[in-house]
Amino acid sequence: MSATAEAKPPNRREQILAAAAELFARHGFHGVGIDDIGSAVGISGPALYRHFRSKDAMLGEMLTGISEVLLAGGQNRAARPNTLFELVRFHVDFALDNPALITVQERNLGNLTDPDRRKVRALQRRYVEIWVEVIRGAVPGISEPSARAAAHAVFGLINSTPHSRHLDRDEMADLLTRMALAALADAPRTPTALSEHPAG
């Protein structure tokens, strides 16, 4: 595929989703109306219904799309050498390059319709399982529960970045990658390991 083809501009549906993500992240799902989204892309609110049947449908497609991209990216990185670094850097890059989407995903799962929520949760579980498998392969002796807890802790670290950007993008990416890898390398091997090393 040529570079020109890869760089094709977003279509109207993609533009609407991108604008909706920015608005949902800034004002919350319930704080944004159809007219607000339409205004952001230069069309009337009712005209949006030619592309999406409802605001709920926009959110469903948005969060399903995020989950599918993360799963596909995780599967791709899991097949590469230096898998843990590749997986961590992939998630870091996604979070830094898509702060609005990360914010919407963090805050709006509860606003999905039941079918969309089930679909997104299923995709997310598959993504987490990739992390668990990769962590267990990279960290000797770590238990499955500890690997799962560590994965979620790293998600929390990385996904908090839309709210605290103090460095330029590349510096932030390097910092988050180093912090995540260090945290995973030092993760307790069993769920009870922390009790053996009390703080203080």
Side-chain angles (χ1 to χ4, degrees):
M1 181 179 293
S2 69
T4 301
E6 291 177 348
K8 66 180 180 180
N11 60 34
R12 175 61 84 181
R13 192 179 184 88
E14 292 166 340
Q15 290 172 345
I16 292 169
L17 286 175
E22 292 291 341
L23 290 169
F24 293 163
R26 190 175 307 127
H27 303 295
F29 178 72
H30 295 296
V32 177
I34 287 292
D35 288 340
D36 298 319
I37 300 169
S39 177
V41 293
I43 62 178
S44 67
L48 290 178
Y49 292 115
R50 292 200 294 267
H51 302 278
F52 296 93
R53 66 181 183 276
S54 65
K55 194 173 71 165
D56 288 343
M58 286 184 210
L59 182 65
E61 184 166 326
M62 189 183 301
L63 296 191
T64 299
I66 296 168
S67 301
E68 289 173 341
V69 168
L70 289 172
L71 177 59
Q75 290 170 331
N76 178 276
R77 272 66 181 183
R80 297 181 183 181
N82 201 10
T83 305
L84 185 59
F85 171 84
E86 291 283 351
L87 191 58
V88 167
R89 190 57 183 238
F90 163 69
H91 197 98
V92 166
D93 287 340
F94 185 89
L96 291 177
D97 293 340
N98 301 278
L101 291 177
I102 289 292
T103 299
V104 174
Q105 177 181 248
E106 291 285 295
R107 297 178 181 174
N108 289 282
L109 283 175
N111 292 320
L112 291 170
T113 63
D114 287 342
D116 283 337
R117 188 181 303 113
R118 286 193 294 270
K119 184 175 183 180
V120 168
R121 287 294 193 191
L123 290 164
Q124 289 179 334
R125 284 193 294 270
R126 291 173 64 191
Y127 183 57
V128 170
E129 290 309 312
I130 292 172
W131 275 77
V132 171
E133 182 177 347
V134 169
I135 291 169
R136 296 196 72 188
V139 181
I142 193 168
S143 68
E144 186 273 339
S146 290
R148 189 175 305 280
H152 284 286
V154 167
F155 294 156
L157 167 67
I158 297 171
N159 291 349
S160 69
T161 55
H163 314 294
S164 57
R165 293 284 292 273
H166 300 295
L167 301 173
D168 72 32
R169 191 257 182 233
D170 290 342
E171 289 175 329
M172 195 68 177
D174 289 342
L175 176 63
L176 285 169
T177 300
R178 291 196 304 270
M179 290 177 67
L181 290 171
L184 290 170
D186 198 40
R189 272 36 178 184
T190 67
T192 58
L194 283 177
S195 66
E196 300 168 3
H197 302 282

